[in-house]
Amino acid sequence: MDIDVFAAAHAQEWERLDELVRRRRSLTGEEIDELVDLYQRVSTHLSVVRSSGQDPELAGRLTSQVARARSAVTGSHASSWTDVTGFFTRVFPAVLYRLRWWWIGVTAGTLAVATVTGVWIATNPEVLAALGTPESIARYVEHDFANYYVENPAGSFAAQVWTNNAWVAAQAIIFGVAFGLPTIGVLFLNAVNLGMAGGMMFAMGRGDVFFALILPHGLLEMTAVFVAGGVGLKIGWSLIAPGERTRLRALGEEARAAIAVVLGLVVVLFISGLIEGLVTGWITNTWVAIGIGVVAEVLFFVYVYTVGRKAYLEGVTGDIEDAPAALPVAG
């Protein structure tokens, strides 16, 4: 047997097997069956090459290739660090990108409600007076609002903020199963609270302080909450308009993708919590503090629209079933 002719005849099959192994976490059902079939064929090719004894280097290469394919077929996991890396480079960003219009819509709606509320309070003295006595409002504006960020040790405050924001985000997602109505309530309440704080600060001439203390951490923090709200509304909408899917299947698919969002947002909110605990109120240079927040926000959007877009176009949806631990065998 001419080993060079044999290698040339099967080179495309070997290359295809390598490609499928690399993409094993985002394969379609047909590609999974193809992977199993190619694994069996290349295993036979390896036996032929070994028995010929003509090309030890080719035998070694095929041995490595078959081992990788066997790991994919049998569901043997790579290291946990590989799983974590795959999650943050494929699954999480792909879901963010796929659902981008939902959370961008939530962002626009929330900011609109907050702005209207803030302007209403700042331009109507009678509305401002209804929020508290002149003394209590002055104390909030001159002391309480800023002191909130520095009254506790930075580390414990960051942990407190992280826990609170993670809970708000989780609520926004979980409430989606009630057709998204409680999710809308959570988002509306947060928008009104934000508008009230801004309205009081602007009414008392402290609008610059409001933005100086909100923007460093708030850009990323609010984006995380908006993402959670968008995912929750998507879950609710999947029950209202499941399309060609059954409602149960639509709910299952979106809920499994939501799990990826919850896990990913834990890290995003941890970063925003660190900024809030270590930057907001502690770095006195306003532009440096805001700059840190802007950089964090820009990096998030770059992450979504580069890493997320690439993974989404490769077929990753965020559904746990897209990354099976064990692959079915061709029948």
Side-chain angles (χ1 to χ4, degrees), residues 9-27:
H10 298 289
Q12 288 187 344
E13 293 173 283
W14 300 343
E15 291 174 4
R16 178 60 175 168
L17 179 60
D18 272 339
E19 178 190 350
L20 294 175
V21 169
R22 284 196 302 270
R23 294 176 41 232
R24 63 186 178 276
R25 294 188 178 278
S26 60
L27 298 180

Side-chain angles (χ1 to χ4, degrees), residues 139-177:
R139 183 172 61 253
Y140 175 81
V141 170
E142 299 296 335
H143 178 266
D144 293 352
F145 185 81
N147 193 58
Y148 167 77
Y149 297 99
V150 295
E151 61 184 352
N152 294 308
S156 62
F157 180 65
Q160 177 186 345
V161 168
W162 179 32
T163 304
N164 177 72
N165 290 335
W167 175 236
V168 171
Q171 284 182 305
I173 293 175
I174 294 169
F175 288 157
V177 299

Side-chain angles (χ1 to χ4, degrees), residues 3 6-19 38 41-42 45-46 49 58 61-62 65:
I3 199 67
F6 182 82
H10 298 289
Q12 288 187 344
E13 293 173 283
W14 300 343
E15 291 174 4
R16 178 60 175 168
L17 179 60
D18 272 339
E19 178 190 350
L38 284 173
R41 277 195 255 165
V42 177
H45 298 164
L46 173 60
V49 172
L58 177 59
R61 180 162 67 87
L62 289 180
Q65 185 179 36

Side-chain angles (χ1 to χ4, degrees), residues 190-277:
N190 276 274
V192 170
N193 287 337
L194 178 63
M196 288 175 60
M200 285 189 286
M201 295 293 287
F202 270 88
M204 303 297 289
R206 301 300 298 274
D208 57 335
V209 176
F210 173 76
F211 282 123
L213 292 174
I214 286 291
L215 292 181
H217 67 276
L219 289 171
L220 188 60
E221 176 184 286
M222 289 188 292
T223 297
V225 174
F226 297 155
V227 168
V231 172
L233 292 181
K234 175 60 174 175
I235 291 175
W237 187 251
S238 72
L239 292 171
I240 297 171
E244 297 180 356
R245 304 172 294 179
T246 65
R247 282 185 169 80
L248 185 60
R249 178 183 173 187
L251 174 62
E253 290 177 355
E254 296 302 336
R256 287 190 295 268
I259 293 174
V261 175
V262 170
L263 296 175
L265 288 184
V266 167
V267 176
V268 176
L269 288 170
F270 176 73
I271 295 172
S272 70
L274 285 180
I275 296 174
E276 187 167 357

